[in-house]
Amino acid sequence: MSMLDDFMVRAVLAGIGVVVAAAPLGCFVVWRRMAYFGDATAHAAILGVALALTFNVSVLGGVMAVALIMALTVSTLNGRGVAMDTMLGVMAHASLAFGLVAVSFVDGVRVDLMSYLFGDILAVDRMDILGIWLGAALVISLLVWRWQGLLTSTLNPDLATSAGLSPRREQLILSVALAMVVAVAIKVVGALLIAAILLIPAAAARPFAQSPERMAVIAVAIGVLSVIAGIEAAFIFDTPTGPTIVCAAAVVFALGQITRVIRAN
């Protein structure tokens, strides 16, 4: 019997694939204070699910398309005199609401709605794992390729401009990477928890990192630990797996904050 026949092994592989992509990207979300941005893109994913089911196309493709449109719209509006937190709040909740209403018109998917909202990692198959890891490889390749440019434009946009970099272009690259992560993560943690899996490992890594690169590596390690611990805890306590993974990450974050306070004193 193949190792991948075990649903727990498939779940762990899928979860690790998501956090390997989400954790380094989450560092940029933390550095740029883009938490609302990640939330809006993730919430738009439900609209992508509804459109994909309506037109009978790939859910992954539908989510990717809508997440990308949302990310590019936000990037375009950024710095144009629009109150971004208000705009992101409106777009996030409106797209989620429209998505939920649209899904209700599609026959036979009402029961599956919870899995799109909160994930259904135990139901992933081999093709899901392949899609997740391909998406993760693309995101990592994009971040490695543009790491220095992204970092410079994040820490000092004026320095980036004088060095011949375009901060707006780097923002668009981040937006594309974010849309990819949302598309691959929806099956694992669901639309409502994607922002958490982006933010929490990166935020938890911050107190222990002396450099941006180290923070990204530690965030990945925390993400992997959270996936394994979350899946194990969900199996033992019979709790929803996606939310339990996020709870595990939150516990690591809390322990990190306690450690930092103790060190400071």
Side-chain angles (χ1 to χ4, degrees):
M1 187 173 73
S2 168
M3 187 177 77
L4 286 181
D5 287 339
D6 185 343
F7 73 96
M8 290 283 280
V9 174
R10 289 198 301 269
V12 169
L13 286 174
I16 290 173
V18 167
V19 296
V20 160
L25 185 61
C27 293
F28 284 102
V29 172
V30 168
W31 294 329
R32 286 175 172 246
R33 295 183 173 89
M34 288 168 59
Y36 268 135
F37 183 86
D39 221 22
T41 309
H43 279 57
I46 289 295
L47 187 55
V49 170
L51 292 173
L53 294 171
T54 302
F55 296 105
N56 201 23
V57 295
S58 159
V59 169
L60 191 70
V63 169
M64 177 75 182
V66 172
L68 195 53
I69 290 166
M70 173 67 86
L72 293 175
T73 302
V74 171
S75 291
T76 305
L77 291 173
N78 195 15
R80 303 256 172 127
V82 182
M84 281 314 295
D85 57 342
T86 305
M87 177 59 71
L88 286 170
V90 170
M91 291 174 74
H93 297 104
S95 58
L96 178 62
F98 276 112
L100 293 173
V101 170
V103 165
S104 70
F105 289 110
V106 184
D107 292 333
V109 294
R110 287 172 189 262
V111 180
D112 294 329
L113 190 56
M114 289 294 282
S115 71
Y116 291 119
L117 288 172
F118 298 106
D120 192 6
I121 191 173
L122 298 180
V124 295
D125 57 26
R126 290 169 184 232
M127 289 308 295
D128 290 326
I129 293 171
L130 181 63
I132 287 166
W133 277 95
L134 280 174
L138 280 170
V139 170
I140 294 299
S141 302
L142 201 58
L143 291 178
V144 168
W145 173 53
R146 297 303 309 164
W147 182 264
Q148 207 53 53
L150 286 167
L151 204 54
T152 307
S153 63
T154 295
L155 301 176
N156 193 329
D158 294 333
L159 179 64
T161 304
S162 64
L165 295 166
S166 166
R168 188 166 285 277
R169 185 187 64 207
E170 303 303 327
Q171 171 79 24
L172 285 174
I173 289 167
L174 270 185
S175 301
V176 171
L178 190 61
M180 285 185 194
V181 166
V182 168
V184 299
I186 192 164
K187 190 77 179 270
V188 173
V189 288
L192 297 184
L193 298 174
I194 291 169
I197 216 69
L198 274 167
L199 283 171
I200 297 175
R206 200 170 197 172
F208 306 103
Q210 283 79 47
S211 69
E213 291 78 11
R214 187 169 293 183
M215 181 169 159
V217 171
I218 294 171
V220 170
I222 289 170
V224 170
L225 176 68
S226 302
V227 165
I228 295 168
I231 290 172
E232 187 70 26
F235 184 71
I236 292 168
F237 300 110
D238 193 24
T239 54
T241 314
T244 309
I245 290 170
V246 173
C247 288
V251 168
V252 176
F253 172 76
L255 290 173
Q257 296 305 304
I258 292 165
T259 305
R260 187 170 71 165
V261 169
I262 292 169
R263 274 183 184 174
N265 294 330

